[in-house]
């Protein structure tokens, strides 16, 4: 069984998806981390993220694996590196390269086959797992998303000005929404959840309740 959670940057998807997976006894797939790993490999090899041919060659030459909560690129733990400002920026550019999307979608479907997963990203309900019976689309107003992103950066010892974070979020949203393949879009059968002003507990309670209703409690572990 697959539960998909999509939405723009800073809407609270990762935290919500991780907690929902824990409550249901599912595995959790952070697909943004996969695009970030490709971006990190490009930065590491001095490949221009706008150079589609070079990015396509890079994605064909790397392996991406998850080990517990860590992400490995060619066996190297890049969990921290993929969260840098440089990798974040490059991720939203390489994510528009068709060869990158094809490979990430293939890996996501392969990982999820035969497992119970909560997957989180931009295209999970619309493109990657269109048959999922339980899809969510998380949103929040841009100001709140920028505040959350800044808190996340600060918790990792990084700093930034709220205006810059907001501008980056608006830019990334625009790139994510306007790309031709796998754009950020709400699946027609997704449940939209506006997380503005809600605590993470409130959001996860709602997601858990709705998931249990949709998937049938008998198939799920009790919380
Ligand atoms: O969720 P995130 O910020 O870690 O995602 C990093 C980038 O990857 C973001 O710019 C959008 C892109 N992405 C994507 O295109 N498709 C996904 N399924 C997940 C993320």
């Amino acid at each position: 069984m697959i539960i998909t959670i999509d939405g723009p940057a800073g809407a609270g998807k990762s935290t919500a998806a991780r907690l929902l997976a824990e409550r249901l006894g599912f595995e959790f797939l952070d697909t943004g981390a996969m695009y970030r790993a490709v971006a990190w490999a490009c930065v590491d090899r001095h490949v221009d993220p706008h150079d589609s041919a070079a990015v396509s060659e890079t994605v064909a030459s790397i392996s991406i694996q998850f080990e517990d909560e860590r992400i490995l690129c060619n066996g190297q733990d890049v969990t921290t590196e993929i969260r840098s400002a440089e990798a974040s920026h490059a991720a939203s550019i390489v994510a528009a390269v068709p060869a990158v999307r094809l490979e990430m979608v293939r890996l996501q479907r392969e990982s999820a086959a035969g497992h119970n997963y909560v997957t989180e990203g931009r295209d999970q309900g619309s493109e990657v797992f269109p048959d999922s019976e339980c899809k969510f689309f998380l949103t929040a107003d841009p100001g709140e998303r920028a505040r959350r992103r800044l808190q996340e950066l600060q918790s990792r010892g990084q700093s930034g000005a709220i205006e810059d974070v907001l501008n980056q979020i608006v830019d990334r949203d625009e790139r994510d929404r306007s790309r031709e393949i796998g754009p950020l879009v709400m699946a027609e059968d997704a449940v939209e959840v506006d997380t503005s002003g809600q605590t993470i507990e409130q959001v996860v309670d709602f997601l858990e309740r709705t998931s249990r209703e949709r998937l049938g409690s008998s198939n799920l572990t009790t919380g």
Side-chain angles (χ1 to χ4, degrees):
M1 262 182 298
I2 307 289
I3 296 172
T4 63
I5 303 185
D6 292 302
K13 301 184 303 289
S14 286
T15 314
R18 184 174 285 114
L19 292 174
L20 178 66
E22 256 172 46
R23 288 194 191 183
L24 300 176
F26 279 29
E27 290 170 77
F28 159 61
L29 187 64
D30 174 355
T31 65
M34 300 169 75
Y35 289 93
R36 286 169 178 271
V38 175
W40 175 83
C42 291
V43 171
D44 188 54
R45 295 173 182 193
H46 306 289
V47 168
D48 176 358
H50 292 99
D51 181 345
S52 295
V55 171
S56 303
E57 273 178 37
T58 305
V59 76
S61 71
I62 59 172
S63 73
I64 295 175
Q65 288 159 312
F66 284 96
E67 253 180 37
D68 302 321
E69 297 278 296
R70 319 295 302 171
I71 183 158
L72 311 183
C73 184
N74 285 344
Q76 181 183 345
D77 185 341
V78 293
T79 313
T80 307
E81 289 79 352
I82 62 166
R83 302 285 158 193
S84 69
E86 200 178 8
S88 301
H89 177 69
S92 74
I93 299 168
V94 302
V97 175
V100 173
R101 296 212 75 82
L102 275 175
E103 180 57 11
M104 295 306 106
V105 170
R106 189 189 69 74
L107 280 174
Q108 289 155 21
R109 289 184 177 143
E110 187 182 275
S111 308
H115 293 258
N116 289 329
Y117 256 109
V118 178
T119 74
E120 174 260 302
R122 305 290 189 287
D123 57 349
Q124 299 298 290
S126 55
E127 291 270 338
V128 187
F129 302 107
D131 298 334
S132 159
E133 285 159 41
C134 192
K135 302 178 184 177
F136 297 102
F137 194 84
L138 265 52
T139 60
D141 66 66
E144 178 145 349
R145 293 196 282 125
R147 278 193 296 281
R148 289 179 189 167
R149 202 28 75 118
L150 185 57
Q151 270 175 5
E152 197 185 313
L153 289 174
Q154 287 168 342
S155 72
R156 275 192 251 109
Q158 298 171 24
S159 58
I162 189 77
E163 302 78 36
D164 294 341
V165 178
L166 180 59
N167 286 338
Q168 284 158 13
I169 279 193
V170 171
D171 273 5
R172 282 175 57 193
D173 283 358
E174 177 51 30
R175 268 198 298 277
D176 285 345
R177 286 202 168 93
S178 60
R179 68 173 165 247
E180 281 180 22
I181 310 180
L184 168 65
V185 63
M186 185 166 102
E188 275 180 15
D189 51 349
V191 178
E192 186 169 3
V193 185
D194 184 348
T195 66
S196 311
Q198 292 203 60
T199 65
I200 188 69
E201 279 294 307
Q202 288 170 322
V203 173
V204 179
D205 283 349
F206 175 79
L207 299 182
E208 182 184 3
R209 216 169 37 246
T210 310
S211 302
R212 290 188 185 280
E213 276 164 21
R214 295 221 162 177
L215 300 176
S217 288
S218 58
N219 293 318
L220 303 171
T221 58
T222 47

